[in-house]
Amino acid sequence: MTTTAARAPERRLLHLLGPAFVAAIAYVDPGNVAANLTAGARYGYLLLWVLVVANAMAVLVQYLSAKLGVVTGRTVPEHLRDRLGARGRLAFFAQAQAVAVATDVAEVIGGAVALHLLFGLPLWLGGVVTGVVSTAVLALNTADGVRRFEAVIIALLGVIAVGFLAGLVVAPPDPAEAAAGLLPRFGGPDTVLLAASMLGATVMPHAIYLHSGLARDHHGGAVAPDRVPRVLRATRTDVVAALALAGVVNIAMLLLAATSLRGVAGTDTLEGAHAAVVDALGPAVGLLFAVGLLASGLASTSVGSQAGAVIWGTLRRRVPPLLVRRTLTLVPAVLVLLAGADPTRALVLSQVVLSFGIPFVLVPLLRLTSSRAVMGEHANTPVVRALALLAVAAVVVLNVLLLVLTLA
């Protein structure tokens, strides 16, 4: 006789998966699209290895964030709220919200450019439409609608994958050249800057804040101690599968540019890259490219706004209603578009702002997950702690390098 427990949802692996696929959207947002296309169009397969290294770092960092949420039932901001004084909480909240705003600027711009390419909408109007649709998606994320929200975001992730993998079906990359791109090397100062941008900006602060909350909400709070080992095993599967998919999509972007856009003028903008894709691979692939970019903008701005709600956990105050939070982050993005700023340039600058916030989340995350007082027997092992410390140091150093080179 089959027991009820054997059929219980929490004992099915698929029921335990999902949070990492939502967090993975941060790794295929419009900022990643711009960076990967630029790298491939300018330097071919040279910087392919950067994406592989970045994805490996992302797997470790996102797992640590999810583990914190599973074991403690609390997010990174909530832990810091109890460890900081009033001024410290306010300062931390201010920088984290700046990260949320910069994130929304990049992602709304991506959606606006996609709507302009598909339907000819003015950029500012495309930004508003992107914000409205993403707000509707966010409205699904209620206490009893967490899995509906996850399902919508995962579906958009599938659209993104199809949109950017389609070009490789039409024009496959050269296997030997692609394999050579896995050898770590540079081709001059410009490639160092671009590699720092690709690697340093891959680990997005808002995705780390968010994943601890996603893992907690997915399991309804702190997991019972006897279930923690099984849930953590499922979480590792979730993170590896989600980040592997995001990594494949990122690599596909670079390979597409290296194969079909290399040396083509104008590919340093999203509009120029789209035009080059249409010229090289035809209107059908160009349409899929634009649809993938639109899905990227819609999904990433929804996920970014949800991260903003998690960040409010830093303060000892009630989280504002969805429309209030959405307006706070959407208005700056629309104002940038109304001001007539170059969309791609604004997108790149937003990534520089994001880099300021990375140490503020990575360092506390490492300390929290390495603490036996916080994590108990699930604290990081010496090997994991060493790997995480290496990853944190690399990301922080590369972001400092990115800022210095960008400002210079």
Side-chain angles (χ1 to χ4, degrees), residues 329-348:
T329 55
L330 179 61
V331 167
V334 175
L335 289 177
V336 168
L337 294 172
L338 279 172
D342 175 69
T344 304
R345 178 64 175 167
L347 193 153
V348 171

Side-chain angles (χ1 to χ4, degrees), residues 174-195:
D174 181 273
E177 290 190 21
L182 297 175
L183 178 65
R185 65 194 192 282
F186 296 104
D190 288 342
T191 62
V192 177
L193 173 60
L194 189 53

Side-chain angles (χ1 to χ4, degrees), residues 11-231:
R11 295 186 66 83
R12 296 200 298 266
L13 177 61
L14 287 178
H15 187 82
L16 300 176
L17 305 182
F21 284 87
V22 177
I25 290 293
Y27 296 89
V28 288
D29 72 356
N32 292 92
V33 176
N36 295 333
L37 291 178
T38 300
R42 288 184 184 176
Y43 303 108
Y45 304 97
L46 179 68
L47 298 178
L48 179 59
W49 65 274
V50 176
L51 293 179
V52 176
V53 172
N55 215 60
M57 287 184 176
V59 168
L60 178 58
V61 169
Q62 292 302 141
Y63 173 68
L64 294 182
S65 178
K67 183 171 77 167
L68 182 69
V70 167
V71 174
T72 69
R74 305 175 73 199
T75 66
V76 175
E78 287 170 343
H79 278 284
L80 293 178
R81 177 188 63 200
D82 297 336
R83 288 166 169 76
L84 297 173
R87 291 183 179 179
R89 287 195 300 270
L90 188 59
F92 184 89
F93 174 78
Q95 66 81 26
Q97 279 298 327
V99 164
V101 171
T103 298
D104 223 27
V105 168
E107 293 159 354
V108 169
I109 286 175
V113 170
L115 288 170
H116 177 70
L117 294 173
L118 289 168
F119 307 110
L121 292 183
L123 289 175
W124 71 268
L125 181 57
V128 172
V129 171
T130 300
V132 170
V133 173
S134 63
T135 302
V137 173
L138 272 171
L140 297 173
N141 196 27
T142 58
D144 58 351
V146 171
R147 297 185 190 279
R148 288 198 300 270
F149 175 71
E150 290 176 355
V152 171
I153 296 300
I154 291 171
L156 288 172
L157 180 58
V159 173
I160 296 168
V162 172
F164 293 112
L165 288 170
L168 297 184
V169 176
V170 177
D174 181 273
E177 290 190 21
L182 297 175
L183 178 65
R185 65 194 192 282
F186 296 104
D190 288 342
T191 62
V192 177
L193 173 60
L194 189 53
S197 176
M198 293 166 65
L199 183 57
T202 292
V203 183
M204 295 290 190
H206 72 285
I208 303 169
Y209 293 123
L210 177 62
H211 205 165
S212 55
L214 291 172
R216 176 200 60 191
D217 295 344
H218 184 87
H219 301 290
V223 176
D226 61 318
R227 291 189 58 235
V228 167
R230 172 171 172 77
V231 172

Side-chain angles (χ1 to χ4, degrees), residues 127-377:
V128 172
V129 171
T130 300
V132 170
V133 173
S134 63
T135 302
V137 173
L138 272 171
L140 297 173
N141 196 27
T142 58
D144 58 351
V146 171
R147 297 185 190 279
R148 288 198 300 270
F149 175 71
E150 290 176 355
V152 171
I153 296 300
I154 291 171
L156 288 172
L157 180 58
V159 173
I160 296 168
V162 172
F164 293 112
L165 288 170
L168 297 184
V169 176
V170 177
D174 181 273
E177 290 190 21
L182 297 175
L183 178 65
R185 65 194 192 282
F186 296 104
D190 288 342
T191 62
V192 177
L193 173 60
L194 189 53
S197 176
M198 293 166 65
L199 183 57
T202 292
V203 183
M204 295 290 190
H206 72 285
I208 303 169
Y209 293 123
L210 177 62
H211 205 165
S212 55
L214 291 172
R216 176 200 60 191
D217 295 344
H218 184 87
H219 301 290
V223 176
D226 61 318
R227 291 189 58 235
V228 167
R230 172 171 172 77
V231 172
L232 288 181
R233 286 195 298 270
T235 298
R236 285 192 289 271
T237 301
D238 192 31
V239 171
V240 171
L243 270 298
L245 177 58
V248 167
V249 174
N250 276 309
I251 288 171
M253 295 175 197
L254 187 145
L255 294 179
L256 172 65
T259 303
S260 303
L261 308 181
R262 189 170 185 180
V264 178
T267 53
D268 54 347
T269 67
L270 293 175
E271 300 95 324
H274 174 261
V277 168
V278 172
D279 289 341
L281 303 176
V285 176
L287 175 62
L288 290 173
F289 178 94
V291 170
L293 179 61
L294 177 60
S296 172
L298 292 175
S300 58
T301 192
S302 299
V303 169
S305 297
Q306 181 60 18
V310 173
I311 290 168
W312 274 90
T314 308
L315 302 180
R316 300 183 187 278
R317 298 178 183 177
R318 177 175 297 185
V319 178
L322 170 60
L323 290 178
V324 174
R325 289 186 282 109
R326 195 69 191 94
T327 301
L328 288 175
T329 55
L330 179 61
V331 167
V334 175
L335 289 177
V336 168
L337 294 172
L338 279 172
D342 175 69
T344 304
R345 178 64 175 167
L347 193 153
V348 171
L349 289 177
S350 72
Q351 304 305 298
V352 176
V353 175
L354 286 178
S355 69
F356 279 104
I358 289 179
F360 293 99
V361 62
L362 281 184
V363 173
L365 175 66
L366 179 56
R367 293 191 63 180
L368 287 168
T369 55
S370 297
S371 169
R372 294 191 69 86
V374 175
M375 303 294 290
E377 62 181 303

